[in-house]
Amino acid sequence: MVKVAVVTGSNKGIGFGIVKELLKRFDGVVYLTSRDDGRGKAAVAKLNELGLKPEYHQLDVTDRDSVVRFRDHIKEKYGGIDILINNAGVGNSIDFYPPYEECKTIIDINYFSIFTIQELLFPLVKDNGRILNMSSACGHLSNIRNKDWIERLLKKDLTVEDINEFVNWFLEGVKNETFKYDDIADEGKGAAYRVSKVALSALTMLQQKELESKNIAINSMHPGLVQTDLMLGLGFYDIDQAAQTPIYLVLDAPDSLKGAFVWHDRKVVDWYDYKGDYYFKTNYFIKNCAQKSE
């Protein structure tokens, strides 16, 4: 049976780099997917110029009908998925403190869309398969400063409802203009992105429990500060370098690595270490990237 790897949001950036590396190393079919057909097919053409042959399918993770169409396509053509990398996501605009509608869009794409993927695509992942949720340094618990939410997210019996309430607490606060930005690290810069990725990282650990019976490994990771549109072209790594740890996690990591939060250097980080120095620091990033570009 043909093996299948799927990378969401892979017409550019890290996702594109992951597809390129999978095509070189994975013994099977690799799907490049994108929300926009034109951009997706243009990305396929770039890979074809390198002698690489991905398969392509339109996939908008926020559109249930789109996910259903993709699911049905995979079921009919290949029957299942061996590797699923949930890479699709968006960041803040130039504004570190965007209005409610932008915050909601960030949350919907980066977090709530994963429930559609979980419902429709996770069942296609074969026994012993691997899933990777692309998180961020912004997805570590140390990004949260609100003591009540730190305590709740630390619960051993954390539930999906807890995580959803955390996300909705943030959204309601922004909508009602009651949100206190000192409840988030780094003066609350990029709070929506941080909340979305903290929620995704927490959810990954719950998903691992549900997938254990099929011996599927699911992890989340911080890919590093990469030169992508999300980072406005700034960063310490290009997309080919950034693809190496995701590839390791889905192809080479030991079967025992499950439900973990992994740093870009393959180090497993304690996600619960809310006092740790893992949160994203905007000023440090801008200063160091500026020095590097000089």
Side-chain angles (χ1 to χ4, degrees), residues 122-186:
F122 278 24
L124 294 186
V125 179
K126 301 171 189 174
D127 291 2
N128 307 309
R130 296 193 173 184
I131 302 173
L132 179 61
N133 290 335
M134 296 300 289
S135 186
S136 164
C138 290
H140 190 271
L141 187 57
S142 58
N143 285 273
I144 307 305
R145 293 290 188 265
N146 181 283
K147 292 181 180 180
D148 291 338
W149 276 113
I150 289 172
E151 183 176 334
R152 190 163 172 184
L153 292 168
L154 283 170
K155 291 194 314 179
K156 291 183 179 180
D157 59 348
L158 182 72
T159 65
V160 171
E161 289 73 25
D162 289 319
I163 304 171
N164 288 346
E165 286 185 27
F166 163 66
V167 168
N168 289 322
W169 158 79
F170 166 73
L171 285 175
E172 286 300 310
V174 175
K175 185 176 184 180
N176 300 327
E177 299 183 354
T178 58
F179 183 72
K180 299 176 181 177
Y181 282 92
D182 58 4
D183 280 337
I184 301 294
D186 197 31

Side-chain angles (χ1 to χ4, degrees), residues 10 32 37 51 53 65 74 81 91 221 247 285:
S10 48
L32 185 153
D37 249 340
K53 305 294 183 181
D65 290 341
I74 293 292
I81 297 171
M221 71 161 291
I247 292 295
F285 168 69

Side-chain angles (χ1 to χ4, degrees), residues 61 84 225 228 269 284-285:
V61 297
L84 174 60
L225 304 177
T228 63
V269 171
Y284 172 84
F285 168 69

Side-chain angles (χ1 to χ4, degrees), residues 20-75:
K20 184 163 65 171
E21 193 64 21
L22 279 171
L23 288 165
K24 296 175 182 177
R25 291 200 50 203
F26 180 61
D27 183 20
V29 170
V30 181
Y31 269 89
L32 185 153
T33 70
S34 67
R35 177 178 55 82
D36 181 88
D37 249 340
R39 293 175 182 175
K41 291 173 181 177
V44 169
K46 289 181 181 179
L47 292 170
N48 289 165
E49 291 174 1
L50 300 174
L52 302 173
K53 305 294 183 181
E55 292 212 28
Y56 172 75
H57 200 283
Q58 190 274 342
L59 178 61
D60 181 348
V61 297
T62 64
D63 179 350
R64 183 181 179 83
D65 290 341
S66 174
V67 182
V68 167
R69 287 193 295 271
F70 181 67
R71 176 201 64 186
D72 293 347
H73 168 81
I74 293 292
K75 284 177 69 174

Side-chain angles (χ1 to χ4, degrees), residues 226-282:
V226 188
Q227 297 158 6
T228 63
D229 289 349
L230 181 67
M231 304 303 290
L232 305 178
L234 300 174
F236 302 123
Y237 309 104
D238 61 34
I239 60 171
D240 293 329
Q241 293 170 318
Q244 298 309 308
T245 294
I247 292 295
Y248 162 77
L249 289 172
V250 297
L251 293 183
D252 304 321
D255 293 336
S256 58
L257 185 57
K258 295 179 177 180
F261 183 82
V262 183
W263 215 242
H264 61 85
D265 59 1
R266 303 184 184 181
K267 176 184 177 182
V268 175
V269 171
D270 180 6
W271 183 81
Y272 296 97
D273 182 12
Y274 66 94
K275 294 183 179 180
D277 188 27
Y278 298 107
Y279 66 94
F280 181 72
K281 305 168 187 66
T282 306

